[in-house]
Amino acid sequence: MAPQLAITLVFFYWPAGQALYQSMLRQDPFGLRTRFVWFANFRKVLADPAYLNSIQVTVVFSLATAIVAMVVALLLAVMAEKAVRGKGLYRTLLIWPYAVAPAIAGMLWLFLFNPSIGSLAYVLRSLGIAWDPLLNGTHAMILLVSAAAWKQISYNFLFFVAGLQAVPKTLIEAAAMDGAGETKRFWTIVFPLLAPTTFFLLVVNTVYALFDTFGIVHAVTGGGPGKATETLVYKVYNDGFVNLILGDSAAQSVILMAIVIALTAIQFRYVERKVHYG
Amino acid sequence: MATVDLKDVKKVYPSGVEAVKGVSIAIPDKELCVLVGPSGCGKSTLLRMIAGLETISAGTVAIDGKVVNAIGPTERDIAMVFQNYALYPHMKVYDNMAYGLRNRGTPKDEIDSRVRSTAKVLELSALLDRRPRELSGGQRQRVAMGRAIVRNPKVFLFDEPLSNLDAKLRGQMRVEIKNLQRTLGVTSVYVTHDQLEAMTLADILVVMNAGLVEQTGAPLDVYEKPASIFVASFIGAPPMNLLALTGSSSGPMLADGTAIGFAARETPAVTLGFRPEDADVTFNAEALPGALVLPATVEAVEPVGAESFLHCVAAGSRIIVRVSGRATAKPGDQLRVVAKAEKLHWFDQAGKRVD
Amino acid sequence: MIGQSPLRTFIAHAVLILGILIVGFPIYYTFVASTHTLQTILRPPLPLLPGGQLWNNYSEALFGGIGRIGGVSVGQLLLNTTIMALGVAVGKICISILSAYAIVFFRFPLRMTFFWLIFITLMLPVEVRILPTYKVMVDLGMIDTYAGLIIPLIASATATLLFRQFFMTIPGELVEAARVDGAGPWRFFIDILLPVSRTNIAALFVILFIYGWTQYLWPLLVTNSNDMNTIVIALRKMVSFADADTEWHLVMVTAMLAIVPPILVVVLMQRWFVRGLVESEK
């Protein structure tokens, strides 16, 4: 257990502490002197319109990604439950995207939809849509959400299938005898029983959209056009590594930590909650 | 091969809970001692202290005359059969049985011959290449037994080994364990909460309650002379009928004021008991001197074939009477329950037997 | 089983097939693109069927001089990525199984403190501590090394927690049976615990291999030199959308090479993967 502790301390606690410390420092423009400024960096960051924009972008992006990925996955999972034959084959074919790196997923979608050579962009244009994700912020966002959601479908699909299988068949049979039609059975019996799975996936997908999609943003849009797709994580990276504004970047890191901790806490609440249906 | 001696053994958990409050038992060589009691009475804890799986808070455990408090389970030369068998799921039956021998550095060919001969005794020879999950409950049980026997230990410890089997198999295995234990002549300690199992298996029966021994003795002695109300109601099925007494100057009466017709012993007894099979019913009203006679109302009749159980209400208490064969009484019948005086058990205020 | 109309079954299959088309299309189309010439790719729309350049493109990307990105062969990139993915998977499993073993089966002072120390790291993904972690790497001279790529990623709480959870489901009787059978702590670990955990290990291996393979931010930070890049990073560097010089046919070949190995792992080890994923995260 010692090795894990050592690595944990060196690569987790030390940097996290550093982030906390740096978030309260400010360097002069030449990087010569640093001052301890308490929470000034936080005030500055939170007052910065660019940061507020980034928060908005992140919320839109995360929610859209989570919802699209979950709705599609749930639909497919329900259908897979019905299709008695070929279930295994469908599953095999549907889990591929899980193995694709987010950045590559982004690049594949960009390849399909980039205005100059993308075949699907060509199709869109011939349908009369002025499609250009490189210049139009909304289009860029749609592209990112599609790529990010696409990659996450497999994961959600597997969980929904497992969740559906855990719904007792006798309940469904009882509902059928109570005269509930198939659609009604789904919404009144199956869907409520899936609530724990759905909630769990909502948290996981949000965390995914917040953090793991850095690669997609970096590879596809670089936060642009303008700052239309600059998510929080991307901004931390950009301010810290590209623009070298250390104090701000650190303050942003700390805010992100707070978000993760909140999400994890929610997730653990859920773990206790799910017993109710057990 | 070995005796097991417990002297004033106690177990106090760090939380302060006292699971075993001072137990002394002496088990002679080759005998099977059954610890029986309700769940939470400390019987399993006691067994685990003999095994060396729990530390002993006070007192001594000696195996073969040697105090083993300080030595681990491996060195105590004991073998244990667990409730859930605890078979290693990834090992074949053969390896499950051989594992303990290998860890003790037994030569390979000796392991082989011992495993095979043990398997033969337990009729496991055809199953040696199977894994536990491919076996039925009864077969797993045998493997667990085999794993204990193959080591040829000084003491066998059984922790409710039959509780996961269905009733029929349990009956079979009970007989088999008894036979094996007698043939092998290995001193054994057997824990169960099933009084029938306890009665049929034990050479020495130890009834435990709340961390203490209520009574120790040969099974039939315990049955015939239960030392306390607890033992009386725990051993025997259906349990002994118990009736509360109120003392008065004219002699003891039942709770509803019925005089019982004759005096109790010198010591004031507050509870009177008789076993369902020691009573009979009659519709006649003649006097029966020297017997306890209770007017009763039949509430339910349970025919079980060879015998029937009459559930009655008498003197405000529910009692059960066993009659052989088909019962003539019907629910609602008024009759009289008769128990001979020498078949009555008397208990004092503290619940102890009064003779 | 409640019967359903053939129409509904038909709809179910239709929806699934549509789903597979959406899910599979980007990958399929990448494969198609990797078999066409650059000229074909640059004049959309690209045909829906593979072209005749499969052999040419792949051999050019793998062995040809032009296929090198920044002077590094695709083989080297694949090797880097494989080392990283394997290193992360194996390292993480070893480290976390030992920690979990210690936490579950031994009583020692500060046990719970250690547990919480590890547990809290769940809440500190790389993304939120980019800069300071990078600085630690610089200070330790771990930039552009395999160790730098792997070690900071192998200590995470997730795997430890999974093993802990699994170990806690192992009946206490099994541990005691082993003790009575004369197995010490180490023997118990090797003879009983490892074999019993092997499905969990396999499942975790798949998940962690994919995790390692698809890392992006971390390799981006700790590799400066091109020949330490992972294939994902290198791919990003090959693509430049503003610039018509991007050799798309080779990019697509590289992309195929970057996504096929993890897909193979997932598909071939599907049984363990699915079980591990769904069971472990619950």
Side-chain angles (χ1 to χ4, degrees), chain B residues 29-43:
Chain B
D29 188 21
K30 296 187 174 53
E31 300 229 322
L32 196 158
C33 166
V34 175
L35 306 179
V36 68
S39 58
C41 72
K43 58 190 190 297

Side-chain angles (χ1 to χ4, degrees), chain B residues 13 27 33 71 84 108 115-116 120 135 139 157 174-175 177 180 201 216 221 223 273 339 342 353:
Chain B
Y13 285 106
I27 306 167
C33 166
I71 65 178
N84 298 318
K108 233 183 162 115
V115 169
R116 289 192 190 283
K120 207 165 175 187
L135 302 177
Q139 290 167 336
L157 304 175
R174 211 161 59 204
V175 177
I177 288 181
L180 264 172
L201 277 173
T216 306
D221 292 349
Y223 184 81
E342 66 267 26
R353 181 180 190 84

Side-chain angles (χ1 to χ4, degrees), chain B residues 108-180:
Chain B
K108 233 183 162 115
D109 38 336
E110 195 193 327
I111 294 181
D112 193 64
S113 70
R114 275 164 75 172
V115 169
R116 289 192 190 283
S117 64
T118 308
K120 207 165 175 187
V121 173
L122 289 167
E123 294 163 34
L124 288 170
S125 300
L127 306 173
L128 286 175
D129 281 332
R130 303 255 189 105
R131 284 179 210 285
R133 92 174 89 80
E134 300 159 341
L135 302 177
S136 69
Q139 290 167 336
R140 285 180 208 186
Q141 219 286 327
R142 278 163 198 276
V143 177
M145 296 271 299
R147 189 168 65 177
I149 294 171
V150 78
R151 290 241 322 275
N152 195 17
K154 281 186 188 154
V155 181
F156 283 147
L157 304 175
F158 298 89
D159 189 2
E160 310 215 10
L162 303 182
S163 60
N164 284 340
L165 299 179
D166 61 49
K168 189 170 165 229
L169 214 50
R170 207 178 313 161
Q172 276 174 22
M173 283 310 290
R174 211 161 59 204
V175 177
E176 213 164 308
I177 288 181
K178 183 74 186 167
N179 285 341
L180 264 172

